[in-house]
Amino acid sequence: MTFSAGIVAYGIVDSSIAASVGGGLAGVVAAAMMALAKARAWAVDTSAERRRLDDALQQASDERTRYLALGVAQREEHRRRIRDLEAERACLQQRFEAEKAALEDDFASRHEQLIVEATETALRLYHAGLLSAPTHTAEAQIVPFPQQQPTRARATEHPADPTPGREATRDRGAARP
């Protein structure tokens, strides 16, 4: 830039138009070169973006590490809870079995005691004459089977010839009240 300004000044002092125009063009070319260099540096220089990318990658790595650590902690907490539940279940099972055994023993002793008391009461009533054997026996009532209705095919084939066994059972069922 300074060189082109010097050429322009020399052209003016020497009254040379060619030197003045050449110096002006050299200045424009120098300014364009400096502008292109700045534009290239602005377009191509990615150091700031690389720093931001490195920071973002580091942050993502830290986040992934935290995520994995939380996953491991959660799985371990789940295992601990399962172990606690299994221990509690075993304790409750033992307690249940102990209570069940105690209730069965209590039931057995009360059951035996009730049997003994009932037997003693029956013997006292028998010795006192309040309990006697039954004097008469009732006849057992026989309930007859309901009569089977003949189907149409049977009724049309043998209407006058009933089965011999059925007639006898019908008579027996009808004879009894």
Side-chain angles (χ1 to χ4, degrees):
M1 266 324 255
T2 321
F3 177 71
S4 63
I7 293 175
V8 169
Y10 173 75
I12 291 174
V13 171
D14 194 25
S15 294
S16 168
I17 293 181
S20 296
V21 172
L25 287 176
V28 170
V29 170
M33 293 291 279
M34 286 178 17
L36 286 175
K38 287 287 186 183
R40 181 181 180 277
W42 174 76
V44 176
D45 186 21
T46 57
S47 60
E49 286 79 15
R50 285 185 184 180
R51 280 193 300 273
R52 283 197 304 258
L53 178 63
D54 288 342
D55 291 344
L57 287 175
Q58 182 63 37
Q59 189 177 13
S61 176
D62 293 346
E63 186 68 27
R64 182 177 181 273
T65 303
R66 266 189 305 238
Y67 175 76
L68 292 175
L70 287 174
V72 169
Q74 183 182 17
R75 283 192 297 275
E76 188 58 35
E77 179 68 17
H78 181 70
R79 287 185 193 126
R80 185 192 61 80
R81 285 183 182 170
I82 288 177
R83 281 193 309 265
D84 290 349
L85 286 174
E86 288 173 353
E88 185 177 351
R89 186 180 299 135
C91 179
L92 288 174
Q93 184 67 27
Q94 288 175 351
R95 192 170 125 200
F96 169 74
E97 289 173 0
E99 288 178 4
K100 181 181 174 186
L103 287 173
E104 286 175 351
D105 291 344
D106 186 44
F107 173 77
S109 67
R110 285 186 183 179
H111 186 256
E112 291 171 358
Q113 183 182 7
L114 286 174
I115 291 173
V116 168
E117 288 177 5
T119 307
E120 288 176 355
T121 303
L123 285 174
R124 285 187 193 132
L125 289 174
Y126 180 75
H127 287 300
L130 298 174
L131 185 66
S132 62
T135 57
H136 70 290
T137 58
E139 286 188 33
Q141 290 184 347
I142 298 176
V143 179
F145 287 110
Q147 297 300 322
Q148 188 174 22
Q149 299 295 326
T151 62
R152 273 190 199 181
R154 282 184 166 171
T156 58
E157 288 176 10
H158 306 285
D161 185 27
T163 308
R166 288 195 184 165
E167 181 93 14
T169 55
R170 250 187 236 144
D171 290 341
R172 267 190 277 155
R176 295 189 185 177

